[in-house]
Amino acid sequence: LLWVALRDRAFLLYVVFVLGVGIGIAALYGMAGRFLWPDSVVWANRALCTGISISGVVGPLFTRAFLDTRRRAPHWDRWLGAVAWLHLGVLALSLFGSIRLGMQTLSATTLIGCSAMLGCGIACALRGVPGARLFVLAWAVLLLGGALMALRNFGLVPTHFGTLYAMQIGSALEMLLLSFALASRFNQLRREKELAQSE
């Protein structure tokens, strides 16, 4: 709705990112296969890799639009573009290639993508880019959730509610924080526009 009202590309990219993560998490825990496509075993097997790959493509594009990296951090802008292309390749592999190879490749590229987006956010926060600090906090929470889930899977931390659902909790908090960051960015842009008009 915000994208329809404001026509800001960052809001549309954010929606697609959330949908990709949602499909991936729903597929991971079997909810999507049970309720959304119970008769399609092939798609149920590919949905996890496909959903996360979509978020991997759109996440860097959202970061570029949100932090205005083309103008404020051109070096990071190029890196994020490369990460998006990398995930596009993983998306093609997840749709048409080996599911196992797609998941293995996705594990590596997701780590690269998250590191690039977090690094870009930190660099932009240090430069005073509007909303960058909330952006960094949101990504840090998501990475913490993913790390806890991975540590539980390897048996390095005990299984309880917090570690079992760490990814969902981290993802929900990240989306909440990114919503605040988008609101902060919108308010900053509005103030800049009003200042420009008054001048």
Side-chain angles (χ1 to χ4, degrees):
L1 289 173
L2 283 169
W3 175 73
V4 170
L6 302 173
R7 297 296 180 193
D8 187 335
R9 185 167 164 260
F11 287 93
L12 179 61
L13 290 169
Y14 177 65
V15 169
V16 177
F17 173 78
V18 169
L19 287 174
V21 171
I23 289 169
I25 290 177
L28 176 65
Y29 290 94
M31 293 179 289
R34 182 173 179 187
F35 297 111
L36 299 178
W37 40 77
D39 299 325
S40 180
V41 177
V42 175
W43 173 242
N45 289 333
R46 293 187 181 275
L48 169 59
C49 194
T50 301
I52 302 300
S53 296
I54 289 169
S55 66
V57 172
V58 178
L61 301 178
F62 166 71
T63 303
R64 289 169 80 181
F66 181 83
L67 298 173
D68 192 17
T69 55
R70 182 174 294 173
R71 186 165 60 94
R72 298 177 185 265
H75 177 73
W76 282 104
D77 190 73
R78 289 188 292 274
W79 273 106
L80 292 170
V83 169
W85 279 106
L86 185 65
H87 275 95
L88 196 62
V90 178
L91 177 60
L93 183 62
S94 69
L95 287 170
F96 307 111
S98 162
I99 296 171
R100 182 177 179 182
L101 182 60
M103 286 301 299
Q104 290 171 340
T105 309
L106 182 64
S107 298
T109 57
T110 299
L111 181 61
I112 293 168
C114 287
S115 300
M117 289 182 278
L118 185 61
C120 179
I122 292 169
C124 289
L126 293 173
R127 295 175 190 178
V129 175
R133 284 183 291 181
L134 274 173
F135 180 89
V136 169
L137 181 60
W139 276 108
V141 167
L142 180 64
L143 288 175
L144 178 63
L148 282 173
M149 186 181 78
L151 290 171
R152 182 194 64 85
N153 290 343
F154 285 114
L156 299 173
V157 295
T159 299
H160 53 74
F161 181 84
T163 57
L164 189 62
Y165 296 104
M167 192 65 189
Q168 291 97 315
I169 294 168
S171 182
L173 288 173
E174 183 233 13
M175 290 175 194
L176 183 64
L177 288 166
L178 282 179
S179 296
F180 285 131
L182 282 165
S184 172
R185 178 178 180 271
F186 169 72
N187 288 331
Q188 178 69 24
L189 291 173
R190 189 181 63 186
R191 281 193 296 270
E192 288 176 2
K193 184 179 178 181
E194 288 171 355
L195 181 62
Q197 287 175 341
S198 66
E199 288 176 353

